[in-house]
């Protein structure tokens, strides 16, 4: 495996506003908790206050994809504005453009198709709780964060249960780490570990789950085998703002995490009103914003910019960081980050070389080998023959007559259908 790219923080980091402002009194008020990026570069917003899923285009146009445009809450599967959600707090996008939603107050996991059709994958809006099972038989307590692994499984930060859960594409729910109704801070294996209201989750290239363990004020790591460790922040749950390495660093109620292709972790640190960066080795720095001021809204260079309780973060395909904060979507550019791992790759069309190669094989102009099969001439390419058949490889690399330039290879009593394979 190639060595990780070391991130070099640039003094050129700039903070801008994509849409919204410092108050709800805008044309497109957003009360967001989380963001995700789809393959077209749209920002998907979990608008908790307005109980809906919004979409912000790269040009800054805001529309409501699912849920009530009037902010009506509830639980109802359906299409677009007919569907109802209640304080969605986490979103993730799969490779097909489907949106997974942590529908927090409805205690369930919802799916939204690119066309806006909403369905319930797991959990029940009738009652919260902690129960593993299938579909509506499973129970969550205020699920707040979601991420999708390479197999299509959904990792859930089940905040009220103090657990990390897993939901298969078919809706089967299990518990990966933590113990229901037992909050705390403890590293260890699976159910021996303890979390305190985990809110955000992300998955790195090795399948490790990074957790924003909010009430423990730290960033945790869960291996694919379920072993939990603390990557950065106080193991004693001490809050604050301090850059440093591992346990020397301090956060204040971290709410969300995002990872780039090099393993760098972006953290939404709301009570410190800033965006933090954690390297794969656990070194913490402040990427933008200031913990010295009591929040605000100001665009500009990293140290001059101000945020107001940033809750959600996502990294786009070009390394731009998008931030969901109170009534606005912000962006950080020139951060030196790689591609966001949670951002679906653009659909890849079949390479043009394949079509070109097919046309070449159909065109006799460039054929360099000729067969005479019972009086019928067939043309082929010796490179293709050599790759497909050891017999022809031996023949065409020998000094025999058939291997000479311009030679015609005679084939008798052979089916034309068989020879057409070549």
């Amino acid at each position: 495996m190639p060595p990780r790219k070391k991130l070099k923080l640039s003094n050129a980091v700039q903070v801008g506003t994509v849409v919204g402002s410092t108050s709800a009194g805008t044309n497109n008020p957003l009360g967001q908790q989380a963001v995700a990026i789809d393959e077209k570069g749209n920002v998907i917003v979990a608008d908790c206050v307005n109980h809906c899923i919004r979409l912000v285009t790269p040009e800054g146009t805001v529309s409501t994809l699912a849920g009530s445009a009037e902010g009506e809450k509830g639980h109802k599967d359906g299409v677009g504005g007919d569907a109802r959600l209640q304080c969605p707090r986490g979103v993730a996008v799969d490779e097909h453009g489907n949106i997974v939603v942590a529908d927090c107050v409805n205690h369930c996991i919802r799916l939204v198709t690119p066309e806006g059709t909403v369905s319930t994958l797991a959990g029940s809006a009738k009652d919260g709780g902690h129960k593993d099972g299938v579909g509506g038989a499973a129970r969550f307590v205020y699920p707040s964060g979601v991420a999708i692994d390479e197999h299509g499984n959904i990792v859930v930060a089940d905040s009220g249960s103090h657990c990390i859960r897993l939901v298969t594409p078919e809706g089967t729910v299990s518990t990966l780490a933590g113990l229901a109704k037992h909050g705390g801070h403890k590293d260890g294996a699976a159910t021996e570990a303890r979390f305190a209201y985990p809110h955000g989750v992300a998955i790195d290239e090795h399948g490790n789950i990074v957790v924003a363990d909010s009430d423990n004020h730290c960033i945790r790591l869960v291996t694919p085998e379920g072993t939990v460790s603390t990557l950065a922040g106080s193991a004693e749950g001490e809050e604050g703002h301090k850059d440093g390495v591992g346990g020397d660093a301090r956060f204040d109620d971290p709410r969300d995490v995002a990872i780039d292709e090099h393993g760098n972790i972006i953290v939404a640190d709301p009570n410190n009103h800033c965006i933090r960066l954690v390297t794969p080795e656990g070194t913490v720095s402040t990427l933008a914003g200031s913990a010295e001021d009591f929040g605000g809204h100001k665009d500009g260079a990293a140290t001059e910019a101000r945020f107001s309780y940033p809750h959600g973060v996502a990294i786009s395909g070009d390394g731009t960081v998008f931030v969901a904060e109170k009534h606005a979507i912000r962006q950080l550019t020139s951060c030196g980050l790689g591609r966001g791992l949670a951002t679906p790759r653009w659909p890849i069309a079949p390479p043009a070389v394949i079509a070109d190669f097919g046309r070449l094989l159909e065109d006799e102009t460039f054929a360099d080998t000729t067969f005479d099969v019972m009086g019928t001439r067939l043309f082929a390419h010796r490179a293709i023959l050599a790759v497909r058949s050891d017999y022809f490889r031996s023949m065409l690399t020998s000094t025999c007559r058939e291997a000479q330039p311009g030679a015609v290879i005679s084939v008798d009593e052979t089916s034309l259908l068989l020879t057409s394979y070549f």
Side-chain angles (χ1 to χ4, degrees), residues 75-199:
H75 180 278
K76 181 183 177 184
D77 291 338
V79 180
D82 289 334
R84 293 292 179 269
L85 302 99
Q86 189 167 358
C87 195
R89 285 195 173 178
V91 284
V93 183
D94 72 11
E95 60 182 348
H96 304 295
N98 299 302
I99 303 166
V100 176
V101 181
D103 195 1
C104 184
V105 180
N106 278 326
H107 308 294
C108 58
I109 303 302
R110 315 288 291 276
L111 293 179
V112 184
T113 68
E115 297 75 32
T117 300
V118 181
S119 60
T120 302
L121 178 63
S124 172
K126 294 181 179 180
D127 58 333
H130 183 279
K131 182 181 179 183
D132 292 339
V134 180
R139 293 292 182 271
F140 300 89
V141 183
Y142 300 114
S144 296
V146 286
I148 304 171
D149 72 12
E150 62 180 348
H151 304 295
N153 299 306
I154 302 164
V155 175
V156 181
D158 194 7
S159 188
S161 285
H162 309 293
C163 293
I164 304 302
R165 316 285 292 280
L166 184 75
V167 185
T168 69
E170 297 74 34
T172 300
V173 181
S174 58
T175 301
L176 283 178
L179 184 63
K181 301 179 181 180
H182 292 77
H185 183 284
K186 182 182 178 183
D187 291 337
T191 55
E192 295 179 3
R194 296 292 181 270
F195 299 89
Y197 298 101
H199 269 82

Side-chain angles (χ1 to χ4, degrees), residues 96-394:
H96 304 295
N98 299 302
I99 303 166
V100 176
V101 181
D103 195 1
C104 184
V105 180
N106 278 326
H107 308 294
C108 58
I109 303 302
R110 315 288 291 276
L111 293 179
V112 184
T113 68
E115 297 75 32
T117 300
V118 181
S119 60
T120 302
L121 178 63
S124 172
K126 294 181 179 180
D127 58 333
H130 183 279
K131 182 181 179 183
D132 292 339
V134 180
R139 293 292 182 271
F140 300 89
V141 183
Y142 300 114
S144 296
V146 286
I148 304 171
D149 72 12
E150 62 180 348
H151 304 295
N153 299 306
I154 302 164
V155 175
V156 181
D158 194 7
S159 188
S161 285
H162 309 293
C163 293
I164 304 302
R165 316 285 292 280
L166 184 75
V167 185
T168 69
E170 297 74 34
T172 300
V173 181
S174 58
T175 301
L176 283 178
L179 184 63
K181 301 179 181 180
H182 292 77
H185 183 284
K186 182 182 178 183
D187 291 337
T191 55
E192 295 179 3
R194 296 292 181 270
F195 299 89
Y197 298 101
H199 269 82
V201 285
I203 303 171
D204 72 12
E205 62 179 344
H206 304 297
N208 299 306
I209 301 166
V210 177
V211 182
D213 195 3
S214 296
D215 269 28
N216 280 322
H217 310 290
C218 60
I219 304 301
R220 313 288 290 281
L221 192 72
V222 185
T223 68
E225 297 75 32
T227 301
V228 181
S229 59
T230 301
L231 178 64
S234 170
E236 288 75 40
E238 180 183 339
E239 76 268 24
H241 179 277
K242 182 183 177 183
D243 292 338
V245 180
D248 290 332
R250 293 291 180 270
F251 301 89
D252 194 346
D253 195 25
R255 287 298 179 107
D256 200 12
V257 284
I259 305 176
D260 81 349
E261 61 186 331
H262 305 301
N264 299 300
I265 303 165
I266 298 297
V267 181
D269 195 2
N271 289 348
N272 281 321
H273 307 289
C274 57
I275 305 301
R276 312 292 290 281
L277 174 80
V278 185
T279 68
E281 297 76 30
T283 299
V284 181
S285 58
T286 300
L287 188 61
S290 173
E292 301 299 322
D293 298 331
F294 190 70
H297 184 284
K298 182 182 178 182
D299 292 337
T303 56
E304 298 175 358
R306 295 295 181 266
F307 297 89
S308 181
Y309 299 102
H311 273 75
V313 286
I315 306 172
S316 71
D318 64 0
T320 297
V321 177
F322 287 87
V323 179
E325 69 165 357
K326 192 175 182 181
H327 307 305
I329 301 296
R330 313 286 291 281
Q331 67 176 13
L332 282 66
T333 56
S334 303
C335 302
L337 296 169
R339 174 185 174 274
L341 286 183
T343 300
R345 294 186 183 275
W346 284 87
I348 300 175
V353 69
I354 295 178
D356 292 341
F357 193 59
R359 287 192 292 271
L360 174 65
L361 294 179
E362 295 172 359
D363 189 346
E364 298 176 0
T365 304
F366 299 100
D368 53 10
T369 304
T370 304
F371 289 89
D372 186 317
V373 183
M374 297 168 58
T376 299
R377 290 290 178 98
L378 297 177
F379 303 96
H381 300 260
R382 66 172 57 210
I384 301 301
L385 293 170
V387 168
R388 288 186 170 183
S389 168
D390 288 339
Y391 172 78
F392 281 115
R393 173 185 288 273
S394 298

Side-chain angles (χ1 to χ4, degrees), residues 38-51:
D38 71 10
E39 78 275 6
K40 297 179 181 178
N42 299 306
V43 181
I44 308 300
V45 182
D47 191 344
C48 182
V49 173
N50 291 308
H51 310 292

